[in-house]
Amino acid sequence: MMDSSKGASSLRSRTKPGTSEKPASPRKAAIAKLVPPTQTDGDDADDKQRGGGVQSLGRAFSILEEVARHREGIGLAELSKLVGLHNSTTFHLAKTLVSLGYLRQEKDNKRYRIGRPLFALAASALDEIEMVNVATPVLEDLSRETSESSHFAVRMGDAVIVIARTSGPGAFQLTDRVGVVRPAHCTALGKIILASLRPEQFKRFLDRAELKPSTPKSITDPGVLMREIAEVQRTGVAFDDGEFNPEVRCVAVPVIDFTGQVIGALGISGPIWRLSNQALHASAQVVQVAANRLSLEFGAKITASKPAAKKV
């Protein structure tokens, strides 16, 4: 039988004086070592809590967001200017983010880029299920406002796939189901995706894609499609006047994320006898407002003017 005094002594020897907390995990301990102690002078003096939050944490996220917007990388001086911090403050915060893997710094030019762990987090947050959950309320409101079917589609190889849709209150609604795959060259949704490609990507698409006609109005000539996509890039709006279905007209605009990249296309479609070309063009502004709302949900910063989407 163990002596109680010895047992108590043994227990006290394994417990830190004045605390009953469990030892920190190796991961937490590693992070604690990487985070520099709070400064109490200079520009870092306001690293303390303000308004119930830690300002350095907000600054770190501002740095992450700004770096994410510069796919070619960004230097310390420019980054400091954009986030409104002194170079020394930006350097210490960025150094911590690099140590944690959320940023990486190129050896040759010292420019900062997004690290792989952040891509993993973004992928987890923006999977299709989450995208559908975010997009559906926007589509529902758009359908109520336009009385037409609304769609949200993303790229799938050389085609697009509709991952969310809603029907309007009017009669004779389209019956396209979620998960349907549509060609990119003869649909408004697909043209938006094609317009988001870099020039070399679009050229490869033209080289390998078979521009099959779905209706007599389908674009099957690569030169004509190039001019059509250039117009979509100029205006930010794509139309489909019976090119996929001879009885249907569609209009679509891009949806962007926090990096400014096009992640999908949002649009409405309706029967040609109800959705005239004039009504189709008039609806473009309403669709753009909905797309801006959805882009904001995905972290984009939308200004009063139409956002310029980056090439993917």
Side-chain angles (χ1 to χ4, degrees):
M1 181 175 178
M2 184 176 68
D3 182 80
S4 60
S5 61
K6 290 182 179 180
S9 175
S10 176
L11 179 61
R12 284 194 297 271
S13 68
R14 293 194 300 269
T15 305
K16 292 183 180 180
T19 181
S20 59
E21 295 180 357
K22 295 181 180 180
S25 67
R27 171 66 176 169
K28 290 182 178 179
I31 292 177
K33 290 180 181 179
L34 290 169
V35 178
T38 301
Q39 302 291 329
T40 57
D41 56 0
D43 187 62
D44 289 331
D46 53 5
D47 201 27
K48 61 185 178 180
Q49 291 187 357
R50 287 187 179 181
V54 179
Q55 190 172 43
S56 60
L57 187 60
R59 289 174 167 181
F61 276 101
S62 294
I63 290 173
L64 285 174
E65 291 175 355
E66 203 59 60
V67 173
R69 294 188 187 97
H70 292 76
R71 299 190 67 197
E72 72 283 2
I74 184 172
L76 177 63
E78 184 182 2
L79 178 60
S80 299
K81 181 179 179 181
L82 290 173
V83 298
L85 299 174
H86 291 170
N87 282 2
S88 61
T89 303
T90 306
F91 171 76
H92 287 298
L93 290 170
K95 182 179 179 181
T96 299
L97 292 170
V98 169
S99 300
L100 294 171
Y102 292 107
L103 290 183
R104 58 188 176 91
Q105 189 175 30
E106 297 180 341
K107 293 182 179 179
D108 54 346
N109 56 22
K110 302 300 181 181
R111 297 174 76 87
Y112 293 103
R113 292 177 180 267
I114 289 297
R116 290 182 178 179
L118 199 61
F119 283 108
L121 290 175
S124 298
L126 287 179
D127 59 18
E128 285 191 6
I129 295 177
E130 183 62 23
M131 291 177 80
V132 170
N133 291 338
V134 173
T136 298
V138 178
L139 295 178
E140 290 174 342
D141 289 344
L142 182 60
S143 288
R144 278 192 292 268
E145 187 171 0
T146 63
S147 298
E148 303 295 354
S149 298
S150 300
H151 311 269
F152 178 57
V154 296
R155 183 182 178 187
M156 183 178 179
D158 289 338
V160 293
I161 180 171
V162 176
I163 64 172
R165 69 170 300 278
T166 57
S167 297
F172 302 102
Q173 293 292 313
L174 301 181
T175 57
D176 274 354
R177 67 188 184 281
V178 170
V180 68
V181 178
R182 293 291 183 240
H185 68 285
C186 59
T187 58
L189 296 168
K191 291 175 186 177
I192 290 295
I193 300 301
L194 292 179
S196 73
L197 299 179
R198 297 191 297 271
E200 65 272 17
Q201 290 179 309
F202 183 51
K203 184 180 183 301
R204 288 197 296 269
F205 167 81
L206 291 176
D207 290 340
R208 66 175 178 262
E210 188 176 355
L211 306 181
K212 293 182 178 180
S214 297
T215 75
K217 288 188 174 183
S218 298
I219 298 176
T220 58
D221 181 87
V224 175
L225 183 60
M226 288 179 65
R227 291 192 292 272
E228 176 84 359
I229 297 305
E231 180 66 9
V232 174
Q233 291 172 336
R234 186 184 71 83
T235 63
V237 183
F239 298 97
D240 164 13
D241 183 12
E243 296 173 43
F244 179 73
N245 184 327
E247 301 298 324
V248 175
R249 289 192 176 102
C250 310
V251 57
V253 298
V255 174
I256 61 178
D257 65 4
F258 70 101
T259 69
Q261 296 182 38
V262 175
I263 58 172
L266 183 148
I268 62 170
S269 56
I272 58 175
W273 55 265
R274 185 170 65 210
L275 198 58
S276 65
N277 272 316
Q278 183 178 2
L280 189 70
H281 284 74
S283 299
Q285 186 175 0
V286 178
V287 176
Q288 182 66 68
V289 171
N292 286 352
R293 175 185 163 192
L294 185 54
S295 295
L296 286 170
E297 292 287 346
F298 290 133
K301 291 191 174 180
I302 305 296
T303 58
S305 58
K306 179 177 67 65
K310 296 179 181 179
K311 304 299 181 185
V312 297

